[in-house]
Amino acid sequence: MPTVPASSQTSEGSSARRRVVLLGATGSIGSSALRVIASHRDRLELVGIAARTDWRKLAKIAREFSVPSVAIYDVAAFLEAGQQGAFPEGTRLMQGPAGLAELAALPCADVVLVAVVGTTGLEPALAAIAAGKDLALASKEILVLAGKFVMAEASRRGTRILPVDSEHNAVFQCIEGHSSSSVRRVILTASGGAFRDWPEERLLRATPADALKHPNWSMGPKITVDCATLANKGLELIEAQWLFGLRPEQCAAVIHPQSTVHCLVEFNDGAMLAQLSPPSMTFPIQHALLYPERARSVEPPLDFTQLMSLEFKPIDEGRYPMIRFARESMAAGGVAPAVFNAANEVAVEAFLRGRIPFLAIPKIVGHALDRTANFEPADLAAVLAADGDVRRCATLDVEILK
Ligand code: MG
């Protein structure tokens, strides 16, 4: 269960603004976070922003929100921004992975929202934990890769982890006030992605453009492809295991095409609690940034004066092998979840670049899992080494399957 250390409760109820560092400010989660911050300027203050390359957009945000500290991951983009004098005078500019980590540990920050693609956020997330910041976590790959070490470090430092992924934020809301021993199961909902109504033979010809047409959510390209394969739900099952201290068999998923119910938590007595809100990230982001305060939402809530139906159907693992790989990785433990994640990242990138067909994604991931001898990593370095090995082998698979 998420821990709420006494030290971080002292600011509750105070009128001071919470000072936010936003890593991934130019991405999809970043845009939603900016909407939340803009509409709660009396409660939230943006003190640091980071992005990979888009310095023009960063400069625009820095001006609009008077942000004093900025980090740019990509060296060439950092140099270009400097040459162009893109940022207001007095802005502190940082660069590279070290810059992101420094930003995450800014002495003036209260909460760090990590919303960068893939595992790039691991180092800054650990820096935020070490500096005692609240960590609002949107990048699920961090816990999939290194959940054991990140959660142990957070617990050792008494850092609060606030889930931002919509399903996990929903679970966090439903289990609040309940003991972990009273929870029987957590069920995450999955929209089914862009291809949920496609016949299987048509998947052979699915293009990146097809995969990026998500029926309900507007998100970045990597996660949208992950929704089409259901790898996203697999990663989320593993993420839930770490965030809420669950056993693998306590984490389940169900197809729910409307993306209105974000999770179901089943208790020992058979009662289930669900969390509902429209499919927009502003809801979970606001909950995490203002937690435990519940302020007015940026967007209108669900409207029950309109006809609404909620459907649920079991996941066909024959059609979605990635969910089976994720479940098996989670049950195997060790580095298996990291292998699943790394092979998937390589395969999805290759698919997005048009180098491999859609159905090669599960082939590459399945092959990586078969080939890798699983072991219990002694430290983070061992996980990162396994991650690197898998990426190299998966890259060779891309060459074979293209
Ligand atoms: Mg999600």
Side-chain angles (χ1 to χ4, degrees):
M1 293 292 146
T3 50
V4 182
S7 61
S8 54
Q9 291 180 330
T10 49
S11 62
E12 283 168 22
S14 80
S15 58
R17 292 197 292 173
R18 300 201 80 206
R19 290 159 298 186
V20 181
V21 166
L22 174 54
L23 307 183
T26 58
S28 167
I29 302 261
S31 301
S32 295
L34 293 173
R35 289 181 67 192
V36 170
I37 294 166
S39 59
H40 294 289
R41 286 188 192 254
D42 56 328
R43 307 292 299 123
L44 298 167
E45 177 185 359
L46 195 56
V47 295
I49 49 174
R52 183 172 287 273
T53 52
D54 194 348
W55 58 266
R56 287 183 180 84
K57 200 163 169 185
L58 273 182
K60 192 165 163 276
I61 298 165
R63 281 206 191 79
E64 190 183 336
F65 290 84
S66 308
V67 185
S69 299
V70 176
I72 303 171
Y73 188 87
D74 183 76
V75 187
F78 170 80
L79 294 173
E80 199 182 346
Q83 281 163 2
Q84 302 284 328
F87 291 87
E89 199 161 336
T91 305
R92 195 165 152 235
L93 274 182
M94 290 164 268
Q95 184 259 309
L100 261 67
E102 198 180 338
L103 200 65
L106 273 187
C108 68
D110 297 310
V111 56
V112 179
L113 172 50
V114 179
V116 295
V117 174
T119 47
T120 313
L122 176 61
E123 200 182 324
L126 288 170
I129 289 171
K133 312 297 179 192
D134 281 353
L135 181 63
L137 195 57
S139 308
K140 62 200 73 180
E141 290 89 345
I142 292 172
L143 289 183
V144 173
L145 176 73
K148 177 176 157 183
F149 302 105
V150 172
M151 295 310 288
E153 199 54 17
S155 138
R156 200 167 70 80
R157 304 266 187 174
T159 303
R160 186 157 73 168
I161 297 187
L162 300 160
V164 171
D165 206 347
S166 59
E167 297 79 1
H168 304 77
N169 181 270
V171 173
F172 184 86
Q173 295 191 44
C174 290
I175 64 172
E176 197 172 19
H178 298 275
S179 78
S180 54
S181 62
S182 67
V183 175
R184 185 192 284 161
R185 254 187 341 153
V186 161
I187 302 166
L188 309 180
T189 55
S191 69
F195 303 142
R196 69 182 175 212
D197 301 320
W198 284 37
E200 269 179 73
E201 56 282 4
R202 197 175 156 200
L203 292 177
L204 289 167
R205 300 183 305 276
T207 65
D210 295 327
L212 293 178
K213 287 178 201 139
H214 194 286
N216 306 350
W217 296 90
S218 157
M219 302 177 292
K222 198 265 178 182
I223 187 173
T224 308
V225 174
D226 282 347
C227 285
T229 62
L230 248 63
N232 181 55
K233 211 49 52 183
L235 295 169
E236 290 182 357
L237 290 174
I238 301 166
E239 183 188 9
Q241 179 193 15
W242 290 116
L243 276 173
F244 305 111
L246 301 166
R247 296 186 304 280
E249 64 273 20
Q250 288 179 290
C251 306
V254 66
I255 301 263
H256 167 50
Q258 291 81 15
S259 299
T260 300
V261 174
H262 302 294
C263 83
L264 298 139
V265 175
E266 183 183 324
F267 293 89
N268 290 335
D269 60 3
M272 281 191 176
L273 294 185
Q275 190 269 349
L276 289 76
S277 51
S280 162
M281 286 306 293
T282 60
F283 291 91
I285 291 169
Q286 174 169 324
H287 179 267
L289 292 183
L290 289 177
Y291 179 80
E293 189 186 334
R294 289 197 182 264
R296 192 178 179 78
S297 61
V298 175
E299 294 170 87
L302 295 170
D303 179 4
F304 285 96
T305 65
Q306 305 297 314
L307 178 67
M308 185 190 302
S309 62
L310 301 175
E311 299 162 280
F312 300 90
K313 69 174 186 185
I315 295 174
D316 173 359
E317 290 193 356
R319 184 184 170 92
Y320 294 108
M322 295 294 274
I323 201 91
R324 176 168 60 81
F325 293 149
R327 269 197 316 95
E328 289 170 355
S329 305
M330 184 163 60
V335 295
V339 172
F340 171 79
N341 176 61
N344 181 55
E345 278 193 33
V346 171
V348 170
E349 194 186 324
F351 169 69
L352 282 170
R353 287 172 188 269
R355 302 192 63 207
I356 55 168
F358 181 73
L359 292 178
I361 298 173
K363 272 190 200 149
I364 288 172
V365 173
H367 188 206
L369 286 165
D370 286 345
R371 185 180 48 210
T372 310
N374 197 16
F375 65 96
E376 193 57 50
D379 52 27
L380 195 51
V383 184
L384 294 174
D387 174 273
D389 288 345
V390 172
R391 283 170 200 268
R392 274 186 291 280
C393 292
T395 304
L396 293 176
D397 275 354
V398 167
E399 293 304 318
I400 295 164
L401 288 165
K402 74 181 182 188

